[in-house]
Amino acid sequence: MDDTALLRRALAVWARPGEDVTVSATPGTQSGPAPGPAQLLFAGEAGGASVVLLYDGLRLVRYAEPSGAGGGEVVLDFARVDGAVLIGASAVVIARGDGNTRFLTAPWVSGAATSDLTDPDAEAVALGVGEDGVTDAVRTTAGAEECAEFQALEITAQGADRPYLLADLGELTPALLTHGEPGDRAGIAGATEARDRWARIACHLPAVGGGGVRAVNAWNFAEQSLPDGAGTAEWMCTRTETWRGAGSRTMTQFLPPPTTPDEPGVVTATAEDNPSCGLRFPAVLSGVRWRSPADSWYLRAAGSEHVAGITASGGVTGGAGGSTAALPAEGGAEAGLTAGPAGGGGLAMLG
């Protein structure tokens, strides 16, 4: 195959895409020509397509045409990636089709594997990587209607002390997974202690994609004892950060003791461009109606350690002085929550 001819076609389409070219761009990403010379990252065959991948210092640009250029759909994808750090720039989607995805790995990647996030006890499966850096096909759940598994990339980089995880959320760049309180204490999601929690929220990950996601952090912000011998529930906050800064998505989940290790948690609230669970404003408050094994209904509410009192109003009234609350409630009762952060001021429930 003549890669030079392919590159010329890609540059021509980038400069002036015709009506028969399908163009996509992550939010906040310009789709115009490069301001200067672009760096060629890949040109060749991958997954039944002829692909060119370019980088202009701000954006990744992927051009793809059917192998042989004998007709068929031509696509041009743009993704903003400015400010990328080494671990977050370790892989890029090079080809996607028939439920399979191939990735182009960075030169500093020394090993790759797949890891099913829904099965915390499963061993990672080695993933073949060609001399050109393109991986074997990975069965991904991006766009799938059902979530029987969620295969993430487990990447080992030269000089790194442990592998880290990248999740394909249907975008050109997979998202780096981290866990823990927002800030410097958040760790990479490959750590063993995080896998049990990721198993229960993995199937919710596609819901936070589509906005140019750079990273996703999962934070266990509270634990709460449940009545009637139901054990202890966890409260999780899942937050995305985007390449452009704006457009973050935040989701809180209530995780009562599971019947199976991968039983999904209950999504209690979602929000976009909300500072909660973020580096600048880590405080968060959420609530959910919950039925106990004794068939009694409660309003369960929890806040992060920044919360020093919770008050319910509306269909359920009452409160508690700490960072969690449990109030008797009717099955269909609707309630609002407010909290008093430890530093003063007020905090509304997420949503």
Side-chain angles (χ1 to χ4, degrees), residues 118 196-197 199-201 204 255-266:
T118 67
D196 287 342
R197 293 170 182 143
R200 301 194 61 191
I201 63 177
H204 296 307
L255 283 69
T259 55
T260 60
D262 62 345
E263 180 183 348
V266 177

Side-chain angles (χ1 to χ4, degrees), residues 42-189:
F42 178 86
E45 297 285 327
S50 299
V51 180
V52 174
L53 191 67
L54 299 155
Y55 172 61
D56 69 357
L58 176 67
R59 303 167 295 175
L60 281 174
V61 184
R62 176 183 175 271
Y63 169 89
E65 63 182 32
S67 292
E73 183 182 25
V74 175
V75 298
L76 192 63
D77 301 321
F78 295 86
R80 185 172 168 178
V81 292
D82 49 313
V85 295
L86 184 144
I87 61 174
S90 296
V92 179
V93 171
I94 198 77
R96 193 194 300 279
D98 298 326
N100 292 315
T101 302
R102 296 176 188 270
F103 300 87
L104 176 67
T105 56
W108 55 82
V109 171
S110 58
T114 58
S115 183
D116 183 4
L117 289 185
T118 67
D119 187 353
D121 297 322
E123 295 289 335
V125 178
L127 180 62
V129 180
E131 293 182 357
D132 57 1
V134 177
T135 70
D136 291 344
V138 177
R139 192 74 179 175
T140 60
T141 55
E145 294 182 0
E146 297 183 359
C147 180
E149 61 179 357
F150 194 106
Q151 295 293 339
L153 285 180
E154 185 172 288
I155 297 294
T156 301
Q158 298 171 8
D161 58 353
R162 53 182 172 174
Y164 47 92
L165 294 175
L166 300 175
D168 179 12
L169 302 183
E171 305 186 17
L172 190 56
T173 56
L176 175 67
L177 299 184
T178 62
H179 69 94
E181 184 175 352
D184 294 338
R185 285 184 283 178
I188 59 175

Side-chain angles (χ1 to χ4, degrees), residues 212-272:
V213 178
R214 176 178 58 83
V216 185
N217 186 59
W219 176 30
N220 174 26
F221 68 86
E223 294 185 352
Q224 186 176 39
S225 296
L226 301 175
D228 303 329
T232 300
E234 294 184 335
W235 289 84
M236 298 289 294
C237 188
T238 307
R239 179 183 172 88
T240 69
E241 300 295 344
T242 70
W243 292 101
R244 67 190 188 280
S248 63
R249 294 178 179 174
T250 306
M251 176 190 303
T252 50
Q253 295 142 318
F254 177 69
L255 283 69
T259 55
T260 60
D262 62 345
E263 180 183 348
V266 177
V267 176
T268 61
T270 60
E272 188 164 335

